[in-house]
């Protein structure tokens, strides 16, 4: 199993990056967001997700772990294949997709080519459930955040979205303790936490 592939970007095509590693070219299907970070001839590291079928073995490359994580979650949704997942992630950054799922924003998903309202609704429904399960499976260090979100569904959804993006529970908890989130929507809370984390 590949975790990441690092090499020189030998070729860049629409939705495809070829990384040369010691004379071997690995063809990685990629989103437009990932491709925007890649420059031909430069050394590049992409995180890899593999899709194995009876007649194919395809590699998908992502500039960030968050994008890879969302790709794998999207392809686990009924009716969403790799091409549809790439389409959704090409139209949304991982942060934007987390916001869309947490706030139930179907329009953010339907802007992706080939994604209709029914599929968007299914993605939101199934990913919200998966995000909730992932949050619930976290260790005891998540307790401070859980306490903050007890009777605030907006905070609950924001924390779940931030967690799936890869931010640590202690990191999120510290920001929430020092941020006035009274009356904020899920989207506003996520943005406020991200602003503090990236300072």
């Amino acid at each position: 199993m590949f975790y990441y592939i690092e090499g020189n970007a030998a070729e860049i095509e629409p939705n495809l990056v070829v990384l040369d590693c010691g004379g071997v070219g690995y063809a990685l299907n990629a989103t437009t967001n990932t491709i925007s970070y890649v420059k031909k001839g430069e050394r590049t590291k992409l995180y890899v997700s593999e899709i194995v079928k009876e007649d194919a073995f395809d590699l998908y490359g992502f500039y960030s772990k968050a994008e890879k994580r969302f790709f794998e979650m999207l392809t686990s949704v009924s009716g969403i294949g790799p091409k549809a997942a790439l389409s959704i992630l090409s139209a949304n950054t991982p942060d934007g997709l987390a916001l869309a799922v947490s706030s139930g924003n179907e329009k953010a998903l339907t802007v992706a080519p080939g994604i209709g309202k029914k599929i968007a609704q299914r993605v939101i429904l199934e990913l919200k459930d998966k995000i909730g399960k992932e949050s619930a499976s976290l260790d005891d260090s998540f307790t401070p955040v859980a306490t903050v979100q007890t009777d605030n569904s907006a905070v609950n959804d924001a924390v779940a979205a931030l967690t799936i993006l890869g931010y640590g529970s202690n990191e999120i908890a510290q920001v929430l303790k020092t941020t006035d989130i009274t009356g904020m929507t899920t989207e506003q809370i996520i943005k406020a936490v991200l602003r503090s984390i990236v300072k």
Side-chain angles (χ1 to χ4, degrees):
M1 175 180 286
F2 295 103
Y3 184 74
Y4 67 80
I5 295 176
E6 185 172 359
N8 292 326
E11 300 289 341
I12 301 175
E13 300 176 9
N15 299 320
L16 186 73
V17 174
V18 177
L19 294 185
D20 183 336
C21 304
V24 177
Y26 291 91
L28 304 170
N29 298 284
T31 66
T32 54
N33 291 322
T34 285
I35 290 174
S36 70
Y37 286 102
V38 180
K39 291 183 180 178
K40 191 171 181 178
E42 290 191 1
R43 194 157 185 82
T44 304
K45 176 181 178 180
L46 297 181
Y47 295 96
V48 176
S49 182
E50 305 167 42
I51 301 291
V52 181
K53 298 179 181 177
E54 288 183 8
D55 58 347
F57 178 80
D58 294 320
L59 300 177
Y60 295 81
F62 306 94
Y63 194 74
S64 69
K65 291 179 183 178
E67 192 176 49
K68 176 191 172 187
R69 186 179 295 114
F70 266 105
F71 173 80
E72 291 173 347
M73 291 185 72
L74 283 167
T75 53
S76 72
V77 174
S78 175
I80 299 290
K83 287 184 180 179
L86 283 185
S87 179
I88 292 172
L89 285 167
S90 289
N92 297 273
T93 61
D95 289 13
L97 184 55
L99 288 172
V101 171
S102 337
S103 59
N105 183 359
E106 297 172 13
K107 291 183 180 179
L109 300 177
T110 56
V111 295
I115 305 301
K117 186 175 180 180
K118 287 185 178 179
I119 293 179
Q121 289 173 338
R122 192 182 307 143
V123 168
I124 290 169
L125 178 65
E126 292 194 30
L127 288 196
K128 265 191 174 181
D129 183 52
K130 289 178 186 296
I131 289 171
K133 287 179 181 177
E134 185 157 326
S135 297
S137 68
L138 294 176
D139 58 27
D140 293 339
S141 64
F142 196 70
T143 304
V145 180
T147 302
V148 174
Q149 64 174 318
T150 301
D151 17 348
N152 190 328
S153 60
V155 176
N156 184 52
D157 289 343
V159 170
L162 289 162
T163 300
I164 206 64
L165 284 173
Y167 293 102
S169 55
N170 288 332
E171 191 175 27
I172 299 170
Q174 288 303 316
V175 174
L176 288 177
K177 285 179 183 177
T178 58
T179 305
D180 182 9
I181 57 174
T182 307
M184 283 190 179
T185 64
T186 298
E187 183 174 351
Q188 290 170 334
I189 294 170
I190 293 173
K191 287 181 177 179
V193 172
L194 289 174
R195 277 196 299 269
S196 296
I197 290 177
V198 299
K199 280 182 180 178

